[in-house]
Amino acid sequence: MNRQLGALLTAEAISMLGSRITFVAIPWLVLTTQDSALLAGLAGLAEMLPYVLAGLLGGPIVDRVGPRPTAVAADTASVLAVAGIPLLGYLEGVSLGALLALIALAGALRGFGDAAKRALLPRTIAAAGLSTERGTALYDGVCRASTLLGLPLAGVLIAAFGAEAVLLVDAFSFAASALIIMMMVRVGWADAAAAAECEAQGYAAALTDGFRYVRGDRLILGVMSMLFVTNMFDQAFATVFVPVWVRDGPHGPAALGVIGTAFGLGAVAGNILYTVLAPKLPRRRTMAICFFLGGPAQLLALALTDRMWIMLTVAALAGALMSTVNPILMTAVYRRIPTRLHGRVISVLIAVSWAGIPFGGVLGGWATDLMGLHNTALLAAIGYLAVTVAPFLFPAWRELDERPRQEAPRAIAAA
């Protein structure tokens, strides 16, 4: 593997490991201190709404400044923001509103940095001389492995030290990520032509370019629309349904990460298998079947059982199925977008796809308080099934199997 791609994947692995810990720690902190599923969902909203907005608005800046310096700056600022959450939590008399405001700042900085790293990834893959399929599969494998390690680690650390203390781990992970990218990744400086274009257009016009490109691509529109809904359900599952299921059962807080561990094990195994079989599999049919079966599986299990072994089995199978989805979609998207528009278009794609996430926890918490966990999880599973039938029905999804419009993006080296 190329040294720069290895460095980027290492930085992402460390950063994601910390973020997975925070993903568990913040809802648990609010749920246990406020005793409300709705407020736990509100904490997710406070983090994810700024995340989505910052990622969207940062696209033109990424194209103008370059994804590498943008990623380093965002991760460096995130160190202070994330470290401030537990420090604020230790102070007596601090309001919930102040805590949510700091969570929102951390979310905004992470969204800005993630948009930059997503734009940096295809350039680093190109510099490594890898195919887009293999590069995105490696990236997805890193994400899955971080989930595999981070979620159970979060449960163990929270049980041992409390949610406030373990949030400091995420702060250190951002520092490590910024340092690795700054020292070892040399691609991803601003493309002179893209920077000049953004400067000549102005910020608003450059941002509009991203929306205009997305509006004219039927496949990207379909991807965004489906992910908008499924991400909302996934957020409700992770930040509300699982913590409530654990709280109301005999399992204890260490169980918070166990379900994610099972999912991660299945996903890592599935990612390895998919990397070997990918050239032989039809992309659209593979993605459609795996998404339709794997997406709602954990929601159905949560609605129908309180037995841990059943949940773990279903989670592992769901992880194996879902491991095919991201590499297929990322490959299609990266191949369709011109390099000069990467920041703007990818930021729009991520922002719209993730726009349902801030509301998933709130709606999931409200519905859980109103109807109970099992009824809410069952309704979410039915909604998931209804949405993931789209790739079987709409012609735009057939473009997943078409030859790419353009070659992989060229690397943009440091001056």
Side-chain angles (χ1 to χ4, degrees):
M1 183 189 301
N2 176 272
R3 179 186 176 191
Q4 295 190 79
L5 179 59
L8 179 61
L9 294 179
T10 300
E12 279 285 76
I14 294 172
S15 178
M16 287 181 184
L17 182 66
S19 295
R20 295 302 182 266
I21 292 174
T22 296
F23 187 74
V24 175
I26 288 179
W28 184 255
L29 173 65
V30 176
L31 181 64
T32 53
T33 57
Q34 305 297 322
D35 194 27
S36 169
L38 177 59
L39 289 179
L42 185 61
L45 173 66
E47 179 184 13
M48 293 310 302
L49 182 58
Y51 176 95
V52 170
L53 293 176
L56 172 64
L57 298 175
I61 298 174
V62 172
D63 282 335
R64 182 171 180 177
V65 177
R68 175 183 175 271
T70 304
V72 171
D75 279 358
T76 301
S78 293
V79 175
L80 299 177
V82 174
I85 296 173
L87 296 179
L88 192 65
Y90 281 125
L91 299 177
E92 295 184 2
V94 175
S95 68
L96 177 63
L99 185 61
L100 292 178
L102 193 55
I103 291 173
L105 175 61
L109 290 169
R110 187 164 68 89
F112 201 50
D114 282 359
K117 292 172 191 172
R118 293 292 176 89
L120 181 59
L121 177 63
R123 305 177 189 215
T124 312
I125 291 173
L130 295 180
S131 67
T132 308
E133 289 92 341
R134 187 177 181 189
T136 55
L138 286 171
Y139 176 82
D140 190 62
V142 166
C143 295
R144 303 299 186 183
S146 297
T147 299
L148 174 62
L149 296 175
L151 294 179
L153 181 61
V156 171
L157 292 177
I158 290 170
F161 303 107
E164 296 93 339
V166 302
L167 286 170
L168 293 175
V169 176
D170 193 18
F172 285 118
S173 75
F174 278 114
S177 174
L179 184 62
I180 291 171
I181 293 174
M182 181 175 64
M183 298 296 295
M184 301 183 67
V185 179
R186 307 311 303 169
V187 300
W189 293 90
D191 183 328
E197 179 185 354
C198 286
E199 186 173 2
Q201 284 182 312
Y203 175 85
L207 183 62
T208 302
D209 267 356
F211 283 98
R212 185 181 298 113
Y213 185 92
V214 167
R215 189 173 64 244
D217 192 304
R218 296 182 306 163
L219 178 59
I220 291 182
L221 281 174
V223 170
M224 289 194 312
S225 300
M226 187 170 69
L227 292 181
F228 171 86
V229 180
T230 59
N231 281 333
M232 182 171 61
F233 290 135
D234 289 338
Q235 178 76 358
F237 172 83
T239 62
V240 176
F241 298 165
V242 170
V244 171
W245 190 79
V246 170
R247 184 196 63 181
D248 295 345
H251 312 296
L256 285 169
V258 174
I259 297 173
T261 301
F263 184 92
L265 283 170
V268 170
N271 181 271
I272 295 171
L273 183 62
Y274 175 73
T275 302
V276 175
L277 298 178
K280 304 176 183 178
L281 297 175
R283 289 193 291 269
R284 180 181 69 90
R285 191 178 305 168
T286 300
M287 190 280 300
I289 293 173
C290 291
F291 214 167
F292 183 78
L293 296 178
Q298 293 185 97
L299 289 164
L300 285 170
L302 202 68
L304 300 176
T305 185
D306 59 358
R307 297 186 179 182
M308 179 63 77
W309 72 268
I310 296 178
M311 278 299 305
L312 296 181
T313 301
V314 172
L317 292 174
L321 290 169
M322 293 295 286
S323 67
T324 66
V325 174
N326 283 342
I328 291 173
L329 295 182
M330 289 171 66
T331 296
V333 166
Y334 282 143
R335 281 177 164 174
R336 298 169 77 87
I337 303 172
T339 302
R340 65 182 182 83
L341 296 176
H342 268 167
R344 281 161 280 182
V345 177
I346 291 173
S347 67
V348 172
L349 173 61
I350 294 174
V352 176
S353 298
W354 287 48
I357 292 179
F359 305 101
V362 174
L363 292 175
W366 170 77
T368 300
D369 285 342
L370 183 66
M371 297 185 295
L373 174 62
H374 296 295
N375 290 333
T376 304
L378 182 60
L379 287 175
I382 294 171
Y384 214 121
L385 287 169
V387 171
T388 51
V389 76
F392 295 103
L393 300 178
F394 296 106
W397 288 91
R398 296 173 187 166
E399 296 179 30
L400 283 176
D401 290 323
E402 293 180 358
R403 295 180 64 85
R405 296 179 186 175
Q406 61 183 60
E407 296 298 322
R410 70 184 186 279
I412 300 175

